[in-house]
Amino acid sequence: MSWQQKIDAALSERRSADTLRRRHAVSQGAGRWLIADGCKYLNFSSNDYLGLSQHPQVIRAWQQGAERFGVGSGGSGHVSGYTTAHQAFEEELADWLGYPRALLFISGFAANQALIAALMAKEDRIIADRLSHASLLEAASLSPAPLRRFSHNDTQHLARLLAAPCPGQQLVVTEGVFSMDGDSAPLRETDRAARAQNGWLLVDDAHGIGVVGEAGRGSCWQQQVRPDLLVVTFGKGFGVSGAAVLCSESVAAYMLQFARHLIYSTSMPPAQAQALSAALTVIRGEEGRARREKLTALIQRFRSAVSTREFTLADSQSAIQPLIVGENGRALQLADALRRQQCWATAIRPPTVPAGTARLRLTLTAAHEPQDIDQLLEVLHGAG
C-alpha cells in the first residue's frame, strides 16, 4: 500500500463511520457569542468558563506586556526566553496554590508529556484512570514504563493494581474534572490509595482550576488533597492559554535539567504571562467569586429543566454538560439542528469518547445569561 493509499483509506474509514473531524473558521468564538460565516450563534462550545478571555483587565495586561517585552519571548527559557514576567507569575501561582515551585509550559499537552517523559523509567509503572486526557495516556504509552488503566473513578480497582509487585516507582494519574464527562475524580481516596503503596499522584486539573474550590483554587483544594504533581492549564478558567506544573523544589530542579519540552521549546510570550497574572487577580477577587456563583446558578438552571426523557444527561455538576446520544450520525444531526436555531454546540465522537457514547459536549460559562440557557433548552426540546 502506498502512502497515498494509506492516507485515503484512513480518511475513508473515518467518513464511513461519521467520525471525520472538521474545523470551522470563526471570526469570534471564545465568549458568549460565536460568529461563523457571517452568522451569530449562542456559543455552547467554549471552555472559557469564567468569560475572562474578553475581560478588559486581562486584555489590557497583555497589551501592556507586548509594549514592554514585544509579542514573543525570543527563545527557550534556558537561553533568553525566561523573563521577569514569567518569574513573577510562577511565584504568584505557587504561593496561591501552596507549592514551593511552579514551572510554566506552552500548553497542558506539553506539560503532561514533559512530566511523564522526564520522570518515568522502564522499571516504573504508570496507573491511569481509563478516561484520563489523551495527552496523559499518549505520554504514558510512549514512556518506557508500562501503563495500566483502572476503571473510571474506581479506587478499589486502583488499589489492586498498585498492590501488584513493581521494581520501581508507581505514578497514579487522574484528572480533577474530566473533560468529556464533566464529572469529578474522588481525589482523597485516589491519593490515599497511591500513598498506601508509596506511589506519587499526578492530577491534571485543567477544567477545575479557577472554577471550583476556595477562591477558584481548583479540585485538589476543594477536596483537601495536595498531589505530588499538579498540572493546571490556562485555556479554560483563566481564559488565556498555557499551563503550569506545581511541584517540589527538587522536582522543579530535575525538570529544568531533563524536561525536553522546556529546554527545546520557545517559552510563552512574556505578555501572556502578564495577562495570566491579571486573570489570576480577577479569579482570586470578589469578581471571580461572583462569576463562579453565576456559573453555578446557570448549571443548576440547565440541569433542573433539561428533559431526561429525550436525552441521557451525564452526571456532571461542572460547566461541562454532555448530552449522550449514542450514535455518531445522530450526534451530528443534533448539532446541525441546534445551529439552525442559532445555538452552537459540538458533536464529540469516537475516538475522543468510547464507541456508542457520541454526544453533544455543551459547555456553560459565566458569560451566558439565564435567557441563553432557556433558549438552549427550548431548542433542545424541539430537536429532541
Side-chain angles (χ1 to χ4, degrees):
M1 182 182 290
S2 69
W3 278 107
Q4 192 60 54
Q5 289 172 325
K6 177 181 178 180
I7 290 169
D8 290 343
L11 291 174
S12 177
E13 183 179 348
R14 285 285 173 95
R15 287 191 192 96
S16 62
D18 285 327
T19 58
L20 189 71
R21 297 182 175 105
R22 291 182 173 87
R23 298 192 301 178
H24 298 272
V26 303
S27 52
Q28 178 180 320
R32 179 188 180 193
W33 298 102
L34 183 146
I35 300 175
D37 299 325
C39 298
K40 189 175 183 179
Y41 305 85
L42 279 171
N43 185 7
F44 294 102
S45 286
S46 172
N47 287 336
D48 183 16
Y49 301 134
L50 298 181
L52 296 188
S53 71
Q54 313 294 315
H55 197 288
Q57 187 174 326
V58 178
I59 294 171
R60 188 164 55 250
W62 194 309
Q63 291 169 336
Q64 292 170 348
E67 290 172 358
R68 177 181 174 186
F69 294 101
V71 295
S73 66
S76 160
H78 285 63
V79 182
S80 62
Y82 184 65
T83 68
T84 53
H86 296 95
Q87 182 182 42
F89 181 59
E90 284 182 344
E91 291 174 354
E92 184 180 16
L93 190 67
D95 179 70
W96 180 54
L97 293 175
Y99 279 81
R101 292 291 298 276
L103 296 175
L104 293 178
F105 285 80
I106 200 68
S107 71
F109 206 104
N112 285 331
Q113 299 264 313
L115 273 174
I116 291 174
L119 289 173
M120 306 309 292
K122 63 181 180 180
E123 66 271 14
D124 300 328
R125 180 163 59 202
I126 302 167
I127 307 179
D129 188 291
R130 184 167 294 278
L131 296 187
S132 295
H133 190 264
S135 60
L136 292 162
L137 294 178
E138 180 182 274
S141 297
L142 295 173
S143 162
L147 167 64
R148 299 291 181 268
R149 303 189 197 187
F150 64 95
S151 300
H152 180 51
N153 284 345
D154 185 343
T155 54
Q156 292 185 349
H157 187 202
L158 168 63
R160 291 196 298 273
L161 292 175
L162 281 164
C166 175
Q169 306 302 316
Q170 299 195 87
L171 179 68
V172 176
V173 173
T174 191
E175 296 189 53
V177 176
F178 288 87
S179 60
M180 287 298 120
D181 284 35
D183 58 336
S184 298
L187 295 177
R188 297 182 94 175
E189 293 82 358
T190 304
D191 182 64
R192 191 177 301 121
R195 295 192 186 284
Q197 298 293 335
N198 297 314
W200 274 17
L201 174 62
L202 186 165
V203 176
D204 179 338
D205 200 27
H207 299 274
I209 195 68
V211 184
V212 301
E214 181 189 357
R217 286 183 173 94
S219 304
C220 296
W221 194 280
Q222 183 183 49
Q223 297 190 41
Q224 293 298 288
V225 169
R226 190 174 180 276
D228 304 278
L229 303 165
L230 172 63
V231 176
V232 298
T233 67
F234 307 125
K236 285 83 178 176
F238 275 70
V240 192
S241 65
V245 171
L246 284 299
C247 58
S248 66
E249 289 281 2
S250 59
V251 169
Y254 181 88
M255 293 295 288
L256 286 170
Q257 299 305 313
F258 298 104
R260 297 170 69 84
H261 295 73
L262 274 182
I263 299 167
Y264 298 112
S265 289
T266 299
S267 63
M268 71 169 59
Q272 182 176 333
Q274 284 204 184
L276 288 169
S277 180
L280 180 54
T281 298
V282 176
I283 288 169
R284 298 175 71 168
E286 182 61 26
E287 183 182 351
R289 183 190 64 79
R291 286 177 179 248
R292 285 188 291 276
E293 289 179 352
K294 180 183 179 184
L295 177 57
T296 298
L298 293 173
I299 293 167
Q300 293 172 348
R301 188 184 191 96
F302 174 79
R303 291 189 64 84
S304 66
V306 70
S307 173
T308 54
R309 293 191 303 274
E310 296 168 322
F311 303 102
T312 300
L313 183 62
D315 184 18
S316 165
Q317 299 302 317
S318 72
I320 304 163
Q321 293 294 317
L323 295 182
I324 314 297
V325 298
E327 297 177 0
N328 299 339
R330 187 179 175 218
L332 290 169
Q333 292 168 2
L334 185 57
D336 288 340
L338 263 65
R339 289 177 192 177
R340 288 195 293 271
Q341 298 298 319
Q342 284 69 57
C343 289
W344 188 280
T346 303
I348 306 294
R349 295 152 290 151
T352 304
V353 294
T357 68
R359 67 198 63 192
L360 286 194
R361 182 182 181 272
L362 300 171
T363 51
L364 311 182
T365 80
H368 287 125
E369 298 298 336
Q371 61 266 29
D372 301 338
I373 306 303
D374 296 342
Q375 181 174 336
L376 172 63
L377 289 163
E378 183 177 346
V379 171
L380 282 172
H381 178 70

